Amino acid sequence: MYMASAAFVYVRCSYSPRFSNNIRNGGTNARLGSPSSSSSCSCSSSHGVSFSSGTNTYWKHQGLKGQAMSTATEGNFASSRGIINGSNKPDHLLVLVHGILASPSDWTYVEAELKRRIGRNFLIYASSCNTYTKTFSGIDGAGKRLADEVLKVVQTTEGLKRISFLAHSLGGLFARYAVAVLYSPITESQAGDSANSVIVNSPTALRSRPGTIAGLEPINFITLATPHLGVRGRKQLPFLFGVPLLEKLAPPIAPIFTGRTGSQLFLTDGKPDKPPLLLRMTTDCQDIKFISALGCFRCRIVYANVSYDHMVGWRTSSIRRETELVKPPRRSLDGYKHVVDVEYCPPVPSDGPHFPPEAAKAKEAAQKTPSTQNTAEYHEILEEEMIHGLQQLGWKKVDVSFHSAFWPFFAHNNIHVKNEWFHNAGTGVVAHVADSLKQQESSTAITASL
């Protein structure tokens, strides 16, 4: 229900048969990728946290055009209802994570389409540990259950070598927490022999932090309409229509309906002098390494609805500031209906997120005596700090617009085709996700062979 200071460098890329990287305001070609260093420390106090400045890479698109959609299936697969292996056992686990008040059945169309499109190397598993009201127990609680579930799948399935996540809405936050629980760093000597190593001269190689997720090589982390910055602030929860009074009343009311999860999404969880969970999840803490876990994935992609999503705003789902929202093209990319823009945002070095004394004071005011003024102040501080944390990693950002769809107001469910009959406007988005997975799988195979 409630889904919803370094400069941010943007490099525009065209997701078409001919790939190009262009600077947003210039139009000149830009080459991506440079080494970066890393360090981490605790974020449990009001002091800032620093850690590695992320992932540098070459992004290359192979020009795969969307094909006609079908629910035909073939090959090996897994779901929450069981695992089926054929003669050629898959070695790449793809975990599907649903959103709030949902279930694995939300992935029926996506699961069938991915089985048809991405080949036999993938073992597709639709998570079932956080169904319906279990999503109200908190992002941390749901994330730990998801981590346990994934670990059981890995332990009971032979031959798995790689892992990816595809999550919708609140499920993206569950997945971010889960991968941090499942993360294990590897030493430099181990990294030299692992698939995470970088072939510098290979245009398809991706630089990532050395580490494993559930003992497997992490490849893709993909979210669809996920509130990465929470839902507090102007139009972050669009069905409130940006009305100041409603946005002031929502934070104290949210926990009544959505429990612990609601307070975490509105950034009011915990004691006033402690950072809220979503801020902690943008850095490495002493007990859990959130950013290092995300940083070890070869590819991170966020899909965001630019409009008509009443659950999750464009800003929070695309990890952008208000000033960075530029009117997107209205024309879809070739072969991917309603996918209107693709942008690669390389990592931006910074000293990471902070929880300064003024943030603690603003949090206390927002908790005890919410008003338009102190609520806005608190949100502005927290949003900037969360962006500082997340922008230290490179992200591919895909903008989706259902403005021309017959039912554009279903955008939040269209983006992952929750129901094949009512939300089929999102089939082009699913095709884009499938081709992104295939592209990365091919890049991984090429890198391994070099």
Side-chain angles (χ1 to χ4, degrees), residues 311-330:
M311 306 299 284
V312 178
W314 184 16
R315 213 162 72 245
T316 184
S317 57
S318 64
I319 316 176
R320 291 186 177 111
R321 299 174 177 88
E322 183 76 37
T323 56
E324 295 164 350
L325 299 181
V326 178
K327 187 176 181 180
R330 296 182 68 83

Side-chain angles (χ1 to χ4, degrees), residues 329-381:
R330 296 182 68 83
R331 183 177 178 181
S332 301
L333 302 183
D334 291 345
Y336 307 108
K337 192 173 183 181
H338 301 303
V339 177
V340 296
D341 199 17
V342 177
E343 180 178 39
Y344 172 57
C345 299
V348 177
S350 80
D351 58 355
H354 298 258
F355 191 67
E358 57 267 30
K361 186 180 296 184
K363 180 181 180 181
E364 184 175 15
Q367 286 177 328
K368 293 183 177 179
T369 55
S371 68
T372 302
Q373 182 178 351
N374 61 36
T375 296
E377 179 185 3
Y378 177 56
H379 169 258
E380 289 172 3
I381 295 173

Side-chain angles (χ1 to χ4, degrees), residues 29-90:
N29 291 334
R31 185 173 182 269
L32 305 179
S34 61
S36 60
S37 61
S38 64
S39 64
S40 63
C41 62
S42 171
C43 69
S44 59
S45 70
S46 62
H47 299 289
V49 185
S50 62
F51 42 85
S52 78
S53 58
T55 302
N56 301 299
T57 180
Y58 295 101
W59 292 92
K60 185 173 182 180
H61 177 60
Q62 298 175 332
L64 299 169
K65 294 192 68 175
Q67 303 175 12
M69 294 292 170
S70 132
T71 56
T73 63
E74 63 177 352
N76 310 298
F77 65 93
S79 72
S80 57
R81 295 171 292 280
I83 299 175
I84 300 176
N85 289 319
S87 55
N88 299 319
K89 292 184 178 181

Side-chain angles (χ1 to χ4, degrees), residues 2 9 15 31 35 54 99 124 131 141 167 174 183 192 220 227 236 251 257 261 311 316-317 338 351 378 430 432 442:
Y2 287 93
V9 182
Y15 219 86
R31 185 173 182 269
I124 303 175
T131 55
F174 295 167
Y183 168 72
N220 303 283
Q236 296 286 61
F257 297 97
T261 301
M311 306 299 284
T316 184
S317 57
H338 301 303
D351 58 355
Y378 177 56
V430 176
H432 193 276
S442 299

Side-chain angles (χ1 to χ4, degrees), residues 105-436:
S105 63
D106 284 21
W107 293 109
T108 300
Y109 173 82
V110 173
E111 201 173 354
E113 190 62 17
L114 290 180
K115 290 170 194 172
R116 185 180 74 84
R117 297 179 68 99
I118 64 179
R120 298 173 179 269
N121 288 338
F122 286 85
L123 185 70
I124 303 175
Y125 182 87
S127 171
S128 61
C129 65
N130 290 308
T131 55
Y132 305 114
T133 55
K134 287 183 180 180
T135 56
F136 296 162
S137 63
I139 294 166
D140 47 351
K144 291 173 183 176
R145 283 195 296 271
L146 176 60
D148 290 341
E149 184 181 24
V150 170
L151 197 57
K152 288 178 182 177
V153 173
V154 172
Q155 292 172 343
T156 56
T157 307
E158 294 182 357
L160 293 177
K161 297 178 181 178
R162 301 183 299 281
I163 188 169
S164 293
F165 287 80
L166 172 60
H168 174 246
S169 194
L170 181 60
L173 297 178
F174 295 167
R176 277 176 53 192
Y177 198 99
V179 299
V181 173
L182 296 169
Y183 168 72
S184 296
I186 60 178
T187 64
E188 291 184 7
S189 59
Q190 290 173 317
D193 298 326
S194 75
N196 273 341
S197 302
V198 178
I199 309 299
V200 176
N201 295 324
S202 171
T204 58
L206 296 174
R207 183 180 298 277
S208 62
R209 304 177 184 206
T212 63
I213 301 297
L216 307 178
E217 179 189 0
I219 305 297
N220 303 283
F221 189 89
I222 304 173
T223 63
L224 309 169
T226 289
H228 290 285
L229 307 178
V231 296
R232 193 184 196 102
R234 184 173 179 272
K235 294 186 178 180
Q236 296 286 61
L237 190 60
F239 75 74
L240 299 179
F241 303 106
V243 178
L245 177 62
L246 295 178
E247 291 183 342
K248 181 186 75 172
L249 294 174
I253 293 176
I256 298 174
F257 297 97
T258 56
R260 181 181 173 88
T261 301
S263 62
Q264 291 172 344
L265 288 172
F266 279 99
L267 313 175
T268 55
D269 56 300
K271 297 180 179 179
D273 61 337
K274 299 296 182 182
L277 178 63
L278 288 190
L279 180 60
R280 294 181 66 241
M281 286 174 61
T282 63
T283 187
D284 280 347
C285 301
Q286 285 182 332
D287 56 336
I288 187 166
K289 308 300 182 184
F290 291 105
I291 281 295
S292 290
L294 268 182
C296 70
F297 283 86
R298 288 174 172 258
C299 181
R300 288 167 298 281
I301 310 177
V302 291
Y303 287 77
N305 284 313
V306 305
S307 60
Y308 295 106
D309 189 327
H310 292 322
M311 306 299 284
V312 178
W314 184 16
R315 213 162 72 245
T316 184
S317 57
S318 64
I319 316 176
R320 291 186 177 111
R321 299 174 177 88
E322 183 76 37
T323 56
E324 295 164 350
L325 299 181
V326 178
K327 187 176 181 180
R330 296 182 68 83
R331 183 177 178 181
S332 301
L333 302 183
D334 291 345
Y336 307 108
K337 192 173 183 181
H338 301 303
V339 177
V340 296
D341 199 17
V342 177
E343 180 178 39
Y344 172 57
C345 299
V348 177
S350 80
D351 58 355
H354 298 258
F355 191 67
E358 57 267 30
K361 186 180 296 184
K363 180 181 180 181
E364 184 175 15
Q367 286 177 328
K368 293 183 177 179
T369 55
S371 68
T372 302
Q373 182 178 351
N374 61 36
T375 296
E377 179 185 3
Y378 177 56
H379 169 258
E380 289 172 3
I381 295 173
L382 266 291
E383 182 178 273
E384 188 64 27
E385 295 303 329
M386 286 188 287
I387 290 174
H388 279 174
L390 292 173
Q391 73 179 4
Q392 292 179 97
L393 302 176
W395 296 86
K396 183 183 288 186
K397 301 183 179 183
V398 183
D399 291 327
V400 178
S401 178
F402 291 104
H403 68 274
S404 62
F406 187 73
W407 296 109
F409 295 101
F410 290 163
H412 191 69
N413 290 327
N414 285 347
I415 201 168
H416 79 308
V417 193
K418 179 176 181 177
N419 181 286
E420 185 177 0
W421 302 107
F422 294 107
H423 309 115
N424 57 22
T427 55
V429 180
V430 176
H432 193 276
V433 170
D435 286 347
S436 296

